[in-house]
Amino acid sequence: MSLRNEGERAFPNLGSKGSALGRRRLLFIMTETLCGEIVRTTFTSEETGFTIARVKVKGRGEVTMVGPLMGPPDGTFIEALGRFESHSQYGLQFKVDTFSTALPVTSHGIEKYLSSKAIHGIGPKMAERLVAAFGTKTLEVIDKEPEKLLDVEGIGKKKAEQILTGWEEQMDVRQVMVFLHSHGVGSAFATRIVKAFGKKAVSVVTRNPYALATEVAGIGFLTADRIARSTGFAMDAPQRIHAGLLYVLSHATDEGHLFLPADQLMQKAVELLQLPAEPIGQGIAHLAEHEKVITKKVDNPDIGEAVYLPWLFHSERGIANTLAQVARGTKFPVFEDPQGEVAAMEKRLSIRLAPRQREAVQGALTAKAMVITGGPGTGKTTIIKAILKIYHKAGARMLLAAPTGRAAKRMTESTGFPAKTIHRLLEFSFQKGGFQRNRENPLSCDVLVVDEASMIDVPLMFNLLKAVPDTATLILVGDVHQLPPVGPGNVLRDIIASKCIPVTTLTEIFRQAEKSLIVVNAHRINKGEKPFSGSREPGGDFFIIERNDPEAVARTIVELVARRIPRRFNLNPMEDIQLLTPMHRGSLGGERLNQLLQDTLNPRPPGAQEETGFKFRMGDKVMQLKNNYDKDVFNGDIGRVVDADPAAKRVTARFDDNQVSYEAAELDEITLAYAVSIHKSQGSEYPAVVIPVSTQHQIMLQRNLIYTGITRGKELVVLVGSYKALAIAVRTNKTIKRFTRLTELLQMGG
């Protein structure tokens, strides 16, 4: 059977060229400098400093300026570097890159400046009286001779002090902005720094600019290092070395590691800082002495000495201790006849479990903690339902949880019992500063079942285990062959490898699941075998469409998602079909494919132009990229844009029943979700999944990546690309090893 023929037969008229996607025009926009007086400010974001202002420019009349201007008062003189852009709704605007301001010098300008409430304690009438008394010298009087304010009607000693305080606050902000601009800090970053440190910003940047990397959103080590070098910090300054080492460890955490071997940390820091090893070794010793890192000798010649960030060291050790404590606890309820309980449940529900399924259910009735792992179609859901039915009949208090909202929702639907995200289960409170359920305030349950456990990273698992009561039974369910968690560690795999608690591994595919090529191919790929295409029955659910040229792959994907799949399978392209990508960059990366699908499924109105730096439109499909407990929205949640304001750079999105607003500085928390990474799709299922498979992604082509991607599809999976790339992915089973000692610690009993 030809794989190519089966894929083409499933989607007729799908030519290799596909449909026209349109062409982009490149506009070369010149920057220029405008000078003028701010006539009025129409909008300012208190949080980000983003401002829309009307400015009177000599020879041009009034111009609309937009950018991180921090809401300068009316009457302020501004000099701004930027460019003119045409906005579809608001017309021609001048987008500001950098700017400087000066105080007004005319009586009219000064009165306008003071009337805008720039200085606390001065309103329009008071401004009029002050200018009438002092004219063009008004600001000079406030600054250098404030005692003269007492000569003005309506100003007593208290009012004069209030005006002086307001004036000093304004001058502090101006001086900070001038200082930051003089050291090459752009207006956007300067605004964030001022918001974070206020008038202390100059002191912070002068004393230790590397503090910006940990205290100000969006400023990492590399930006802080550039600022530090401009302020005269030496290459071998201790602050630079310490910050660089912490940056390397933090970057390793982003790659899933809990620690780095000391020699690797040294090597990476030498490359980053361009310094010899000796001062970097001294830096590691200093950080360890001051408990900024924790070093641990390891009985493993490949590691030697492990260097941890403290929170990861304590989380890893905490998992080992708390899991051992849970496993040793007294079980409640106690089942005197587990076999009889399982048999009675089968009779009540008119089902018959397979031997390995029965073993898993009986294990959950006797063990204090256990793992159930298996691929799609192996009956994990049936087992969970059986376990819950037995515990429910025994009067046990049951809790169900999963790492993501989608996984929790799916768990609720499949079991009939309510499930929550782990964060909601543990009652995270942004205001109270953390999880409210812990060792001192444990969960109220006798059994806790956690699905999609392969997604749980070390910090979250530690917080979860801390909240498990000593008498409760813990059941972790997951597919160990999926990708490891996005966060640090590989908890489920390490627990299974340690053999510290019972593990039931399900391998049998049941008859109903055998009809699905999605299930069959998932197991074939997991065994290193190439997948089938087409179907043994009408209405197949797994297809491979061969395209070798990346542009042909892109065109085919857009055609499939927008037209062919909706037409043949009666699926909604926005709600039911999800494109999953191995990588973010490149012509077949998530970034470009999102653009193509956005333009096809949610195009701009005719004649409308996109606002530079603002990619969202009404109706867009978006994904939350990190946990935001304050907004009650979490990493991986998918929603739809219900309001988009390009001028103010504000977006409002609806995630199920939760409507969330984002200011300009928060827009990096969401991204378009027509295409999402396979990593981000973990814990979710979609009616239809489309995946590009190209040698362009060779660095990411791993067996567990493809396996995870195709197991996200419930009704349909379509792979588009080359057989060579697919063969590489199926053959490659060398997953990148994460530095973790959890297996060893679990075997030691904590």
Side-chain angles (χ1 to χ4, degrees):
M1 177 186 294
S2 166
L3 301 185
R4 174 186 236 165
N5 289 343
E6 285 302 325
E8 300 290 1
R9 191 183 309 153
F11 303 99
N13 304 318
L14 187 59
S16 61
K17 293 184 179 179
S19 59
L21 298 176
R23 298 179 180 176
R24 294 184 168 272
R25 291 185 301 170
L26 297 177
L27 300 177
F28 295 91
I29 304 172
M30 300 295 292
T31 59
E32 57 182 302
T33 301
L34 295 186
C35 303
E37 179 187 318
I38 295 179
V39 178
R40 64 184 176 280
T41 298
T42 58
F43 171 81
T44 297
S45 167
E46 289 295 324
E47 188 169 353
T48 67
F50 178 81
T51 299
I52 303 172
R54 294 287 289 172
V55 179
K56 188 176 181 180
V57 179
K58 188 176 180 180
R60 288 184 182 264
E62 287 192 10
V63 172
T64 299
M65 284 191 182
V66 298
L69 306 177
M70 292 198 67
D74 296 350
T76 301
F77 185 83
I78 185 169
E79 180 177 321
L81 175 69
R83 69 193 65 82
F84 279 100
E85 294 181 354
S86 181
H87 187 276
S88 58
Q89 185 176 353
Y90 300 104
L92 197 64
Q93 298 178 330
F94 188 77
K95 185 177 180 184
V96 176
D97 292 327
T98 60
F99 71 98
S100 62
T101 59
L103 294 173
V105 294
T106 66
S107 296
H108 173 75
I110 292 171
E111 184 176 335
K112 197 161 193 176
Y113 173 81
L114 295 176
S115 296
S116 67
K117 299 184 179 178
I119 299 173
H120 186 59
I122 300 179
K125 290 185 178 180
M126 181 61 71
E128 186 180 349
R129 289 204 295 272
L130 286 168
V131 172
F134 306 115
T136 58
K137 303 254 185 209
T138 301
L139 300 183
E140 186 180 337
V141 167
I142 296 173
D143 187 43
K144 296 178 180 178
E145 300 176 281
E147 66 278 2
K148 288 186 176 181
L149 296 175
L150 297 172
D151 297 335
V152 178
E153 181 188 354
I155 297 181
K157 187 176 180 182
K158 187 175 180 181
K159 187 71 170 179
E161 289 175 354
Q162 187 183 36
I163 292 172
L164 184 59
T165 300
W167 170 260
E168 289 173 345
E169 288 174 353
Q170 272 289 314
M171 293 306 99
D172 287 341
V173 172
R174 279 179 48 77
Q175 289 168 10
V176 169
M177 293 295 283
V178 169
F179 172 82
L180 293 173
H181 284 148
S182 72
H183 288 288
V185 182
S187 297
F189 278 152
T191 300
R192 294 184 185 186
I193 293 169
V194 170
K195 289 288 183 184
F197 298 109
K199 65 181 180 181
K200 296 180 181 177
V202 173
S203 172
V204 169
V205 174
T206 303
R207 190 175 66 255
N208 183 13
Y210 296 100
L212 302 177
T214 55
E215 299 293 333
V216 182
I219 297 184
F221 170 80
L222 298 179
T223 301
D225 193 39
R226 179 172 54 79
I227 296 170
R229 301 304 305 283
S230 76
T231 60
F233 269 73
M235 288 277 287
D236 61 352
Q239 298 98 317
R240 181 171 186 264
I241 294 172
H242 302 157
L245 285 163
L246 293 175
Y247 169 78
V248 171
L249 283 175
S250 178
H251 186 68
T253 299
D254 294 339
E255 294 180 339
H257 302 298
L258 297 182
F259 64 85
L260 280 181
D263 59 347
Q264 281 201 29
L265 173 60
M266 183 87 71
Q267 179 184 346
K268 291 176 183 291
V270 166
E271 293 172 2
L272 173 71
L273 300 172
Q274 295 294 293
L275 290 172
E278 184 179 355
I280 291 174
Q282 294 169 353
I284 295 173
H286 174 89
L287 291 173
E289 181 183 351
H290 290 81
E291 299 181 348
K292 300 293 185 182
V293 301
I294 293 176
T295 58
K296 194 74 177 175
K297 294 289 184 183
V298 178
D299 188 19
N300 181 334
D302 294 332
I303 296 175
E305 184 177 46
V307 184
Y308 288 85
L309 292 171
W311 62 283
L312 288 174
F313 175 84
H314 294 302
S315 294
E316 183 183 50
R317 188 166 291 271
I319 289 174
N321 290 331
T322 52
L323 185 58
Q325 189 172 338
V326 169
R328 289 194 299 262
T330 303
K331 185 178 179 71
F332 178 85
V334 175
F335 296 96
E336 301 294 342
D337 181 15
Q339 286 185 324
E341 292 286 351
V342 175
M345 179 276 304
E346 288 180 294
K347 188 175 181 180
R348 280 197 314 274
L349 301 181
S350 300
I351 63 171
R352 184 157 184 80
L353 299 176
R356 188 59 65 88
Q357 288 181 310
R358 193 173 293 113
E359 173 192 321
V361 178
Q362 288 177 191
L365 302 184
T366 56
K368 195 59 177 47
M370 75 173 298
V371 172
I372 300 170
T373 183
T378 56
K380 294 192 299 294
T381 300
T382 300
I383 291 169
I384 294 173
K385 288 169 68 175
I387 292 168
L388 293 172
K389 292 288 186 184
I390 294 172
Y391 271 100
H392 182 67
K393 185 173 180 294
R397 298 169 300 165
M398 303 183 304
L399 289 176
L400 284 69
T404 67
R406 281 178 169 256
K409 185 177 180 181
R410 198 173 72 247
M411 197 179 186
T412 299
E413 292 168 350
S414 63
T415 65
F417 293 95
K420 297 180 179 179
T421 63
I422 295 173
H423 290 88
R424 288 193 174 95
L425 183 78
L426 299 180
E427 298 174 15
F428 185 92
S429 170
F430 187 81
Q431 292 76 17
K432 296 178 181 178
F435 294 108
Q436 301 309 294
R437 293 290 186 170
N438 47 43
R439 180 56 58 188
E440 290 72 38
N441 182 31
L443 296 165
S444 300
C445 67
D446 301 311
V447 59
L448 172 61
V449 181
V450 183
D451 199 8
E452 297 287 357
S454 65
M455 295 179 63
I456 305 175
D457 61 21
V458 161
L460 184 58
M461 182 62 83
F462 178 42
N463 280 293
L464 177 65
L465 291 175
K466 282 193 294 185
V468 178
D470 289 341
T471 58
T473 295
L474 174 66
I475 302 168
L476 300 175
V477 183
D479 185 348
V480 75
H481 297 296
Q482 288 190 24
L483 291 168
V486 174
N490 203 344
V491 180
L492 184 64
R493 185 177 289 273
D494 287 348
I495 290 174
I496 291 172
S498 74
K499 301 179 181 178
C500 66
I501 59 175
V503 177
T504 297
T505 302
L506 306 169
T507 56
E508 180 183 353
I509 305 176
F510 291 95
R511 185 173 301 171
Q512 185 176 358
E514 280 183 331
K515 297 177 182 178
S516 167
L517 273 187
I518 296 175
V519 173
V520 170
N521 282 335
H523 288 271
R524 286 182 64 83
I525 288 170
N526 196 36
K527 292 186 288 185
E529 300 172 0
K530 66 181 181 181
F532 297 122
S533 181
S535 177
R536 302 166 189 172
E537 309 253 345
D541 63 1
F542 192 103
F543 299 94
I544 302 171
I545 297 176
E546 185 184 17
R547 295 285 185 271
N548 291 308
D549 176 60
E551 288 305 310
V553 173
R555 289 193 296 267
T556 300
I557 284 172
V558 173
E559 183 74 9
L560 283 166
V561 173
R563 286 174 279 277
R564 298 299 178 185
I565 292 176
R567 188 179 303 161
R568 173 166 176 176
F569 294 92
N570 195 29
L571 295 174
N572 184 312
M574 296 284 274
E575 301 292 338
D576 301 328
I577 305 171
Q578 185 61 58
L579 176 60
L580 303 180
T581 61
M583 293 182 71
H584 184 63
R585 303 290 184 187
S587 61
L588 292 177
E591 192 172 272
R592 180 173 184 247
L593 291 173
N594 263 315
Q595 283 184 339
L596 295 177
L597 286 170
Q598 182 191 40
D599 287 342
T600 303
L601 297 174
N602 191 29
R604 292 193 302 269
Q609 293 188 13
E610 205 86 300
E611 175 80 4
T612 302
F614 188 83
K615 60 186 176 184
F616 301 105
R617 305 170 189 164
M618 281 278 291
D620 270 339
K621 187 177 182 180
V622 292
M623 173 180 276
Q624 177 75 14
L625 294 176
K626 65 180 184 180
N627 293 334
N628 188 321
Y629 306 107
D630 196 27
K631 297 180 185 292
D632 199 30
V633 61
F634 300 97
N635 187 3
D637 286 353
I638 289 182
R640 295 286 291 275
V641 172
V642 295
D643 186 41
D645 187 339
K649 288 185 167 54
R650 276 202 308 258
V651 168
T652 301
R654 182 178 294 281
F655 298 87
D656 294 326
D657 297 328
N658 184 22
Q659 191 158 298
V660 182
S661 294
Y662 300 87
E663 295 290 339
E666 300 171 315
L667 290 180
D668 58 357
E669 290 189 20
I670 57 172
T671 190
L672 295 175
Y674 301 96
V676 302
S677 72
I678 294 175
H679 275 91
K680 286 287 187 184
S681 74
Q682 284 185 270
S684 300
E685 281 187 347
Y686 312 94
V689 161
V690 179
I691 305 173
V693 186
S694 168
T695 52
Q696 188 181 96
H697 301 145
Q698 187 156 346
I699 192 172
M700 294 294 292
L701 290 177
Q702 298 274 346
R703 184 183 299 172
N704 62 352
L705 184 87
I706 297 298
Y707 174 84
T708 301
I710 68 173
T711 55
R712 301 306 91 205
K714 291 192 294 184
E715 302 170 21
L716 177 68
V717 171
V718 183
L719 306 184
V720 184
S722 72
Y723 296 143
K724 179 182 178 182
L726 182 57
I728 291 171
V730 172
R731 189 171 60 242
T732 305
N733 198 31
K734 296 177 182 178
T735 54
I736 298 172
K737 179 177 172 55
R738 295 186 170 196
F739 288 115
T740 160
R741 295 177 56 236
L742 183 56
T743 296
E744 171 193 340
L745 294 172
L746 287 165
Q747 290 171 338
M748 293 166 55

